Amino acid sequence: EVQLVQSGAEVKKPGESLEISCKGSGYSFTNYWIGWVRQKPGKGLEWMGLMYPADSDTRYSPSFQGQVTISADKSIITAYLQWSSLKASDTAMYYCVRQGAGGYFDYWGQGTLVTVSS
Amino acid sequence: DIQMTQSPSTLSASVGDRVTITCRASQSIPSWLAWYQQKPGKAPKLLIYKTSTLQSGVPSRFSGSGSETEFTLTISSLQPDDFATYYCQHYSSNSLWTFGQGTKVEIK
């Protein structure tokens, strides 16, 4: 059974750094694109970026390029989303996603709520 | 960049109704169009991909169609479990994934 299990909720202050994680299991982790989707409170879905773990090829949405870093550790089948300096506007739910064969996201993690507040 | 616009933003319907949600692209796109369902407090769930292919386990009352700039998601007979928000999503060949803004299906 394919599963994407994300790390728990985080409460941070503006300017702090953060890394959230997503462990993929039940499939060949290195052979599927894995990435992140943001959802601000009461708002729609925004694609942030994807990585292909086999070769670390990474694609970012222009809206998120330079704002976050996506990485993966194949040895522990885990993907990461990292911020170096959080802003209040980063407060959102973040979903880990696996991309299927045709550009669609066939599996989703349960979500990680990130709250940034002074 | 291609923009995806859904209509309506909110839809009020009754159990048993036939419901249609439209997703329009700002320019002609190949059939890389997917639909997702999201219930409050839950992660989205893939319903349909490649415009009309039903994801495994999704009830057959859901269907997708369309081409070029206009795509639709149809629920043939709305069930209580279907009240949710629906999103379309396009994948472009230059590695950009774009979601529509969502359509909330409410109880009438």
Side-chain angles (χ1 to χ4, degrees), chain B residues 31-54:
Chain B
S31 299
W32 300 111
L33 196 286
W35 291 95
Y36 301 85
Q37 177 194 64
Q38 186 179 32
K39 297 181 180 178
K42 299 293 187 182
K45 169 189 168 184
L46 176 66
L47 297 177
I48 287 169
Y49 59 95
K50 292 182 184 175
T51 299
S52 59
T53 303
L54 212 60

Side-chain angles (χ1 to χ4, degrees), chain A residues 88-109:
Chain A
S89 57
D90 293 318
T91 294
M93 182 71 80
Y94 292 87
Y95 292 103
C96 173
V97 293
R98 188 188 86 160
Q99 184 193 309
Y104 49 89
F105 302 138
D106 56 357
Y107 287 93
W108 296 63

Side-chain angles (χ1 to χ4, degrees), chain B:
Chain B
D1 295 346
I2 296 172
Q3 307 300 318
M4 307 300 293
T5 304
Q6 288 182 233
S7 61
S9 297
T10 306
L11 186 161
S12 296
S14 302
V15 172
D17 284 353
R18 182 181 181 88
V19 166
T20 298
I21 298 168
T22 298
C23 182
R24 289 188 173 88
S26 57
Q27 59 186 273
S28 182
I29 62 174
S31 299
W32 300 111
L33 196 286
W35 291 95
Y36 301 85
Q37 177 194 64
Q38 186 179 32
K39 297 181 180 178
K42 299 293 187 182
K45 169 189 168 184
L46 176 66
L47 297 177
I48 287 169
Y49 59 95
K50 292 182 184 175
T51 299
S52 59
T53 303
L54 212 60
Q55 174 71 340
S56 176
V58 174
S60 59
R61 62 181 179 272
F62 291 92
S63 64
S65 65
S67 64
E68 297 190 6
T69 61
E70 187 161 321
F71 299 83
T72 59
L73 171 71
T74 299
I75 309 171
S76 60
S77 178
L78 197 65
Q79 298 302 300
D81 191 47
D82 301 337
F83 291 97
T85 299
Y86 295 84
Y87 295 91
C88 64
Q89 176 239 330
H90 166 60
Y91 162 61
S92 71
S93 57
N94 60 345
S95 300
L96 289 176
W97 287 255
T98 307
F99 288 97
Q101 81 277 17
T103 295
K104 185 175 182 180
V105 177
E106 297 181 327
I107 300 173
K108 191 172 184 179

